Amino acid sequence: MPNLVRRRDVLTFGAALGLTAIAAPAWARQLDIWEPRRAILDNLHTGEAFNEVYYANGSYLLDALAEATRVMRDWRTGDERFIDPTLFDALHAIRDRLESPRPFQVISGYRSPKTNAMLNRRSNGVAENSQHVLGKAIDLRIEGVELSNLRNAALDLAAGGVGYYPRSNFVHVDTGRVRQWRGS
């Protein structure tokens, strides 16, 4: 049975959101604080979808973020960790730049330490200290959008790390330090 986000975790997360707003990166401070923000996600492994406003009237909506977290859980183990809300802000800004109505296809969101260690043993392309384990990364694509255009929109935003994997058909986006790389 998957680990479910408990009410205590939601309250802890809610307290942390105040700090997130104070320490928001420069690119995120450019977002209109009164404009609603929506995330549209399709998890390719579970078939689950999320299409909700997660930010409105100047604040994050905890119930929506908890549901988005569930959709982005580790599909191999069912483990969940709250996803950094600025990752959703980055996705919102990327969708605006691309002007695409289509959902982000989620290949990988949160990864448990166990899953990440297994993937790291199988591939040198998986970081030992991955941002996925911290709930700050997503591997994705958008149907009908050239992968290079998705990569360029993420790079233009400069919200964090951007990995380009054209042979594997996805782009990695995270809210860690700004950097870029090309994988297979």
Side-chain angles (χ1 to χ4, degrees):
M1 173 174 229
N3 296 337
L4 301 177
V5 176
R6 296 182 299 267
R7 184 172 184 79
R8 174 182 52 101
D9 296 331
V10 170
L11 294 174
T12 301
F13 180 69
L17 282 179
L19 295 175
T20 300
I22 293 169
W27 68 266
R29 289 192 300 265
Q30 294 173 12
L31 295 172
D32 182 346
I33 64 167
W34 299 112
E35 176 189 338
R37 300 177 199 157
R38 175 179 296 274
I40 305 174
L41 311 168
D42 280 342
N43 187 311
L44 296 180
H45 298 285
T46 66
E48 296 169 317
F50 177 84
N51 183 351
E52 293 184 33
V53 171
Y54 68 89
Y55 180 97
N57 300 319
S59 63
Y60 291 101
L61 307 176
L62 293 179
D63 289 343
L65 289 173
E67 179 61 19
T69 289
R70 188 185 64 75
V71 170
M72 287 185 52
R73 72 185 177 279
D74 183 331
W75 60 271
R76 291 174 179 90
T77 66
D79 292 342
E80 293 179 11
R81 178 182 176 132
F82 264 108
I83 304 300
D84 177 3
T86 60
L87 181 61
F88 294 117
D89 290 340
L91 297 178
H92 174 81
I94 290 167
R95 277 179 46 84
D96 277 357
R97 287 170 189 254
L98 294 171
E99 299 178 347
S100 173
R102 302 215 176 189
F104 287 106
Q105 295 178 325
V106 179
I107 294 149
S108 182
Y110 170 68
R111 285 190 208 140
S112 68
K114 178 180 176 181
T115 294
N116 200 70
M118 179 267 300
L119 293 173
N120 178 265
R121 284 190 302 274
R122 290 184 183 176
S123 169
N124 61 1
V126 175
E128 186 174 337
N129 298 311
S130 171
Q131 295 291 309
H132 288 277
V133 176
L134 302 174
K136 294 181 167 200
I138 184 170
D139 296 338
L140 52 84
R141 63 180 171 247
I142 301 175
E143 185 179 350
V145 172
E146 289 290 328
L147 205 60
S148 60
N149 291 342
L150 176 56
R151 177 205 56 205
N152 292 342
L155 288 172
D156 288 348
L157 187 61
V162 177
Y164 181 55
Y165 296 84
R167 284 192 345 184
S168 300
N169 195 26
F170 72 87
V171 172
H172 168 99
V173 175
D174 71 52
T175 56
R177 63 183 171 78
V178 175
R179 65 211 187 286
Q180 65 177 301
W181 64 94
R182 183 181 177 113
S184 58

